[in-house]
Amino acid sequence: NKMQPWVPAAALSLISCLTTTLYFFSTPDSLSASSEANSASDALWRRGKWGKPDAEFNWCEPDYVDSPYIAETWNSFTSLLYLVPAFAGFLSAKSTAPYGKGTRRFYFLLMSVASVGVGSTIFHATLLYASQLMDELPMFYLVLSASFILFYRNGETPPLQASLSCFALAILITFLLICEPKDTPLHTAGRGFLTLGFTACFIYIFYASCSISAELRKMGTAVSARASSDVSTLFELSFYAFVFAIA
């Protein structure tokens, strides 16, 4: 497990160029809700209680098969699994890192994980564009806060300017997506910032994870060697899961 940090960064950069292009510029018909294959017929969407789906994506699952309140059953219930690591993290943090000035960002990170689970569940249950934003924005908050924590992982206090810049970016993107009507230039710009920002943060998280493994390995102790091995294993599993998910 001696992968250099630049290797996953380069690999993910190439993959993300493809996925970002497909997501923002040329969504495949198999995922596009507006495609003929995924456009719900009146009879189909009238089964549901949320009205005609207007989200940009309709994932690979028949709509409103099991309940008029749930458009995509499996996607909805599996999204709730995000609450498991969030809850476990809160329990662990409560005993090892009580809430305070130095740990607030970690609690915010856990809240972001839980928010992703709630937002993603609502999105897959309704297939509405408003709920799609409830899915996408918490994901962006999650990767942005994770990147921020990893960048300042050596114990130094983050500069106020850095904290304010991240906060301002999140507020700007949120404002453009929520307050500007869909398909307007400003809303589209917000989606562009969201997509590119998510991609950049995602790449950095993998890069930093590999760097942490290398840093632990250099310490030379048995504990650090075990930790390095665990980080490398988690990184590899995450990388393969990501590749499998987009395949």
Side-chain angles (χ1 to χ4, degrees):
N1 292 328
K2 296 183 179 181
M3 183 185 295
Q4 296 299 315
W6 66 267
V7 175
L12 284 171
S13 295
L14 293 174
I15 295 173
S16 296
C17 286
L18 172 62
T19 55
T20 299
T21 300
L22 292 176
Y23 181 84
F24 188 66
F25 297 105
S26 181
T27 305
D29 286 343
S30 60
L31 296 181
S32 176
S34 61
S35 68
E36 183 177 348
N38 285 335
S39 294
S41 65
D42 287 350
L44 183 61
W45 67 259
R46 287 183 188 280
R47 298 178 190 170
K49 299 296 185 180
W50 310 115
K52 187 172 183 178
D54 62 352
E56 295 185 332
F57 301 97
N58 192 330
W59 301 97
C60 307
E61 185 176 348
D63 300 341
Y64 293 111
V65 172
D66 301 302
S67 169
Y69 294 96
I70 304 176
E72 297 177 342
T73 304
W74 284 105
N75 282 334
S76 297
F77 282 102
T78 53
S79 294
L80 289 173
L81 293 176
Y82 279 98
L83 299 177
V84 176
F87 182 70
F90 274 116
L91 291 180
S92 176
K94 186 177 180 181
S95 59
T96 60
Y99 183 82
K101 184 177 180 181
T103 59
R104 290 172 184 169
R105 49 183 171 166
F106 298 103
Y107 281 86
F108 179 80
L109 185 68
L110 292 171
M111 288 177 60
S112 297
V113 175
S115 298
V116 169
V118 174
S120 185
T121 300
I122 295 174
F123 165 52
H124 288 294
T126 64
L127 291 181
L128 300 177
Y129 184 68
S131 59
Q132 179 183 324
L133 296 179
M134 295 175 64
D135 177 34
E136 294 173 336
L137 285 171
M139 287 185 185
F140 177 70
Y141 303 150
L142 173 62
V143 296
L144 183 64
S145 57
S147 298
F148 186 83
I149 291 173
L150 288 171
F151 190 81
Y152 294 103
R153 63 183 179 272
N154 293 324
E156 69 268 31
T157 301
L160 179 61
Q161 297 91 328
S163 301
L164 291 177
S165 296
C166 288
F167 182 74
L169 177 62
I171 291 297
L172 174 62
I173 291 176
T174 302
F175 174 82
L176 292 175
L177 291 179
I178 292 179
C179 298
E180 291 295 323
K182 185 182 178 183
D183 297 327
T184 61
L186 286 177
H187 187 95
T188 302
R191 291 204 63 80
F193 291 140
L194 176 76
T195 304
L196 295 175
F198 182 90
T199 300
C201 290
F202 191 70
I203 292 172
Y204 178 74
I205 289 170
F206 274 80
Y207 170 83
S209 298
C210 198
S211 296
I212 290 172
S213 177
E215 292 166 5
L216 290 170
R217 189 166 56 246
K218 289 180 180 179
M219 291 181 180
T221 65
V223 174
S224 63
R226 173 61 184 273
S228 174
S229 176
D230 291 345
V231 170
S232 296
T233 301
L234 287 173
F235 165 78
E236 291 172 3
L237 290 173
S238 301
F239 181 82
Y240 295 139
F242 171 69
V243 173
F244 178 77
I246 65 175

